[in-house]
Amino acid sequence: MTPSHSKLTSIVAIAYVLIVAGGMLLHFFNTGDLGTLKYSLMLPATLPAVFVGSLVAFGLWHRFAWAWWLGLAAVGTQLIRFGSWFIGRLSIGDAPMTSWAIAVLLLAFLFLLLTKATRQQCTR
């Protein structure tokens, strides 16, 4: 049985959250630098991105309409914020590999979210 479109979109949102949160933790475990971890957690966009991403993933998994709308707003915001940074890094030829993964996940999430099947499934 194949997963529904809303559940597949939810899985992409979970992957995004894992990369954002996991990247910070992985860096901490590799370096032991508590200052960098504390700095990463104190960034104004880090915790809201993890929280909203998790909330959207939960809502899409359960096919809530509010999660579709929140996901649309969240991915739009992240594409504007991350996209401007990413384009700047590409212009100087210095885009880290994880930034490519984040870009692909954000675009995949937007594509899956905007499919007719996902929108029709999120009606609760």
Side-chain angles (χ1 to χ4, degrees):
M1 182 172 152
T2 60
S4 67
H5 283 79
S6 64
K7 288 187 179 184
L8 186 59
T9 309
S10 176
I11 291 169
V12 173
I14 291 168
Y16 172 77
V17 167
L18 289 176
I19 283 184
V20 171
M24 291 182 303
L25 293 174
L26 186 63
H27 180 75
F28 171 69
F29 290 136
N30 284 334
T31 64
D33 186 6
L34 187 60
T36 303
L37 178 64
K38 202 158 80 172
Y39 173 75
S40 296
L41 291 173
M42 296 303 289
L43 289 173
T46 304
L47 290 179
V50 170
F51 177 73
V52 171
S54 301
L55 188 63
V56 166
F58 171 81
L60 288 174
W61 189 269
H62 294 286
R63 300 179 177 182
F64 291 121
W66 60 262
W68 189 89
W69 288 104
L70 182 59
L72 188 62
V75 75
T77 302
Q78 284 300 98
L79 281 172
I80 290 169
R81 292 187 80 250
F82 175 77
S84 61
W85 176 86
F86 187 62
I87 290 170
R89 295 297 281 237
L90 282 177
S91 68
I92 61 172
D94 186 30
M97 185 55 82
T98 51
S99 63
W100 282 97
I102 290 171
V104 167
L105 283 172
L106 287 172
L107 291 173
F109 180 79
L110 179 63
F111 173 76
L112 289 169
L113 192 67
L114 292 177
T115 61
K116 188 176 181 180
T118 302
R119 178 68 186 119
Q120 287 176 341
Q121 289 173 359
C122 295
T123 56
R124 294 176 40 181

